[in-house]
Amino acid sequence: MRIFVTGATGWIGSAVTGELLAAGHDVVGLARSDASAEALAARGATPLRGTLDDLGIIKDAAADSDGVVHLGFVHDFDRFAESGRVERSVVGTIGDTLAGSDRPFLFAAGVAGLAPGRLATEDDASQHVGPDAPRGGSEALGLEYAEQGVRTVSLRFAASVHGIGDHGFVAELTRVARERGAAAYVGDGANRWPAVHRSDAARLVALALEQAPAGGVVHAVAEEGVAMLDIAEAIGRSLDVPARSVAPEEAAEHFGWISRFVALDAPASSALTRARYGWTPTGPTLLEDIAAGGYLPRA
């Protein structure tokens, strides 16, 4: 199949691109820069210059594809609402373009906030609905297209999609710990983040492209919940700095933009995903990646 991928050179997208190419698909990847375009071409994918704001380019690429995997996102937490509006526009554009075609449309979402106070499952509906919701309510919007002849699939990724070279949440926690001289957690640190290795997440996306039904939801979660205390202590050991608690009222000053996520308790299950698609995570755990130096500066 000819698959159009947004975010094709990103942290998750580059691994997904590799999986799709290995499976024999032709990949057309959206590229924001010459460097990204060159990286895609070097791997055997077809680069398409453009950004998530270029809805005309995205519409044409979706129309010319056998399926779409949308992994791109504007990761600017200083303009979070604007990022959500962009996301909603992209999902709506692709959904409208593929309507009535029965072609697959897989898009990124998350497990955080699905089921406060309990283990989230694939059967939990997103509470983020409408254009002013986080990510522009794009998951709920995208799944609506299942009733319009699109094989939409929500790819709910764990809070930490980790691996050597990760520049996400754990990398930011490590940077803050290095600057502050201590690896911090909020309160008693008992709150949990689900985690998955990047290679396992990418393999699941390829499986979902082939197998998931319209309106399907998959959880890219290998570890249901890693306690923030354990994450902080592992970061502390890797940097040779102590781990310490930060009071909730001090979190914003200590952590900066990531403070809104540090105290979240968001355990999530992938039991249904594993049973439905035969997916078995095999990559290292989050704490193993931290211990292996995965979040230390690269030479």
Side-chain angles (χ1 to χ4, degrees), residues 45-58:
T46 301
L48 175 65
R49 284 300 306 271
T51 72
L52 294 177
D53 292 312
D54 296 323
L55 297 181
I57 291 174
I58 289 171

Side-chain angles (χ1 to χ4, degrees), residues 1-4 26 28 46 48 56-68 97-98 103:
M1 292 193 292
R2 179 181 175 91
I3 307 300
F4 173 47
D26 294 327
V28 177
T46 301
L48 175 65
I57 291 174
I58 289 171
K59 178 180 179 180
D60 290 345
D64 195 37
S65 72
D66 297 310
V68 177
T97 302
L98 298 183
R103 283 177 280 176

Side-chain angles (χ1 to χ4, degrees), residues 101-114:
S101 70
D102 292 322
R103 283 177 280 176
F105 172 26
L106 283 61
F107 52 87
V111 297
L114 281 174

Side-chain angles (χ1 to χ4, degrees), residues 120-145:
T121 77
E122 294 87 339
D123 289 337
D124 286 308
S126 173
Q127 302 304 304
H128 302 318
V129 179
D132 296 325
R135 295 185 71 95
S138 59
E139 180 184 37
L141 174 64
L143 291 175
E144 290 177 3
Y145 284 97

Side-chain angles (χ1 to χ4, degrees), residues 11 157-163 194-202 204 219-223 279 281 284 286 289:
W11 173 243
F157 293 103
S160 175
V161 181
H162 57 88
V196 65
H197 192 269
R198 181 174 72 143
S199 62
D200 290 321
L204 177 58
H219 277 195
V221 174
E223 298 178 88
W279 178 64
L286 174 57
D289 266 346

Side-chain angles (χ1 to χ4, degrees), residues 59-247:
K59 178 180 179 180
D60 290 345
D64 195 37
S65 72
D66 297 310
V68 177
V69 179
H70 170 46
L71 301 172
F73 188 74
V74 180
H75 291 283
D76 187 342
F77 291 97
D78 292 328
R79 300 184 299 142
F80 198 63
E82 182 179 341
S83 296
R85 288 191 290 272
V86 172
E87 175 70 0
R88 187 176 183 88
S89 294
V90 172
V91 169
T93 296
I94 296 171
D96 289 343
T97 302
L98 298 183
S101 70
D102 292 322
R103 283 177 280 176
F105 172 26
L106 283 61
F107 52 87
V111 297
L114 281 174
R118 65 172 174 82
L119 188 70
T121 77
E122 294 87 339
D123 289 337
D124 286 308
S126 173
Q127 302 304 304
H128 302 318
V129 179
D132 296 325
R135 295 185 71 95
S138 59
E139 180 184 37
L141 174 64
L143 291 175
E144 290 177 3
Y145 284 97
E147 303 299 323
Q148 300 181 43
V150 185
R151 184 159 66 86
T152 53
V153 180
S154 175
L155 305 168
R156 290 178 178 168
F157 293 103
S160 175
V161 181
H162 57 88
I164 304 300
D166 175 17
H167 50 267
F169 288 159
V170 177
E172 179 65 9
L173 289 177
T174 304
R175 185 193 67 77
V176 172
R178 187 183 300 111
E179 287 188 357
R180 298 283 186 172
Y185 52 91
V186 176
D188 63 4
N191 61 296
R192 297 152 293 176
W193 276 11
V196 65
H197 192 269
R198 181 174 72 143
S199 62
D200 290 321
R203 189 159 42 84
L204 177 58
V205 173
L207 287 171
L209 177 67
E210 299 288 349
Q211 302 179 30
V217 174
V218 301
H219 277 195
V221 174
E223 298 178 88
E224 291 185 349
V226 185
M228 186 56 64
L229 171 61
D230 293 335
I231 294 173
E233 289 181 338
I235 291 172
R237 287 191 295 271
S238 73
L239 297 175
D240 195 23
V241 299
R244 71 175 181 88
S245 173
V246 168

Side-chain angles (χ1 to χ4, degrees), residues 17-25:
T17 294
E19 285 286 336
L20 296 180
L21 290 170
H25 298 294

Side-chain angles (χ1 to χ4, degrees), residues 240-261:
D240 195 23
V241 299
R244 71 175 181 88
S245 173
V246 168
E249 60 272 19
E250 299 173 349
E253 190 279 329
H254 182 91
F255 291 104
W257 67 265
I258 202 174
S259 63
R260 70 186 76 180
F261 305 105

